Amino acid sequence: MHEDVERILLTAQELDTKVSEMAARISTDYQGKEILLITLLKGGVMFAVDLMRKLTVPVEIDFMDVSSYGADAKTSGVVRIEKDLDSPIAGKHVLLVEDIVDSGLTLKYVSTLLRDRNPASLRICTILNKPMRRKTQIDADYIGFDIPDEFVVGYGLDYAQKHRNLPYVGVLKREIYAQGK
Ligand code: IMP
Ligand code: MG
């Protein structure tokens, strides 16, 4: 276990099993359709590619980058587009893939913006969900795990751009973000 991590919340094995279950459900739900998987950089990438590999329906992928967090662990509530999608989404079945829904502000903003571009459908898929932290009404259609209100890293999630590569999801030691290290 990494020295900045207090404890492991979800093992690589648990994540893999869950991603397989989610992919099976999504493949059934989208039978006969093509999915445009849209992922938010950078945190969603690891989950998105794992999920994509396990989908049995045709799938395209595109990326969008928005920022709601600075280098510190608290939300600023400000969401800004850093990079937009490469292609239009009108008439496509969009599956928005996220690493975590926390306050929900990011997803609220992005899903409203995408809906305005007239996709055939829009659903939300997240591997992690922190229901206790919600500041706005937003429900994901596919949720991997509900987790407690703790700052986690790994499986794409970072603290100050570090720890995205950890294969598990772990709780970050409080002293790390208290020091702003
Ligand atoms: P929201 O707008 O508050 O829902 O924030 C969503 C984004 O905040 C996620 O995509 C993450 O990048 C980041 N985030 C929220 N909680 C955590 C956490 O516990 N660890 C790392 N990043 C987090
Ligand atoms: Mg993110």
Side-chain angles (χ1 to χ4, degrees):
M1 192 170 79
H2 194 284
E3 60 181 9
D4 290 355
V5 172
E6 187 182 284
R7 66 175 203 282
I8 294 177
L9 204 60
L10 300 163
T11 65
Q13 182 60 59
E14 287 170 319
L15 288 162
D16 185 63
T17 302
K18 183 63 77 176
V19 175
S20 296
E21 285 169 17
M22 294 174 87
R25 232 187 96 198
I26 292 166
S27 298
T28 304
D29 292 354
Y30 285 84
Q31 206 56 248
K33 294 176 183 148
E34 283 185 26
I35 297 177
L36 173 59
L37 206 151
I38 293 180
T39 302
L40 302 186
L41 297 171
K42 305 166 188 157
V45 169
M46 208 171 291
F47 172 45
V49 297
D50 281 353
L51 184 72
M52 190 178 184
R53 263 190 291 235
K54 294 174 193 262
L55 291 173
T56 56
V57 290
V59 52
E60 291 177 8
I61 191 165
D62 203 349
F63 302 95
M64 186 176 234
D65 190 9
V66 302
S67 61
S68 60
Y69 278 72
D72 89 37
K74 277 184 254 140
T75 182
S76 62
V78 178
V79 179
R80 195 176 60 206
I81 297 190
E82 309 282 359
K83 180 216 171 289
D84 207 339
L85 300 170
D86 287 340
S87 311
I89 63 168
K92 304 211 167 181
H93 293 287
V94 171
L95 184 62
L96 184 53
V97 174
E98 254 286 45
D99 48 359
I100 188 165
V101 186
D102 185 32
S103 72
L105 295 171
T106 310
L107 264 191
K108 184 78 169 186
Y109 178 87
V110 173
S111 59
T112 303
L113 184 143
L114 293 179
R115 221 168 257 122
D116 285 346
R117 298 183 186 180
N118 299 312
S121 68
L122 174 64
R123 284 188 186 168
I124 295 167
C125 176
T126 186
I127 186 70
L128 303 177
N129 184 39
K130 279 186 193 166
M132 283 170 61
R133 297 254 310 167
R134 208 68 96 244
K135 291 199 186 116
T136 179
Q137 168 61 35
I138 181 117
D139 292 316
D141 300 277
Y142 304 98
I143 294 172
F145 300 93
D146 283 338
I147 63 165
D149 180 14
E150 291 181 286
F151 197 82
V152 293
V153 293
Y155 200 60
L157 290 143
D158 71 304
Y159 172 67
Q161 299 303 325
K162 299 223 169 62
H163 307 313
R164 294 190 195 278
N165 57 315
L166 297 176
Y168 52 83
V169 172
V171 176
L172 190 68
K173 280 183 185 162
R174 191 164 274 277
E175 68 226 48
I176 301 297
Y177 56 88
Q179 290 166 359
K181 262 206 319 205

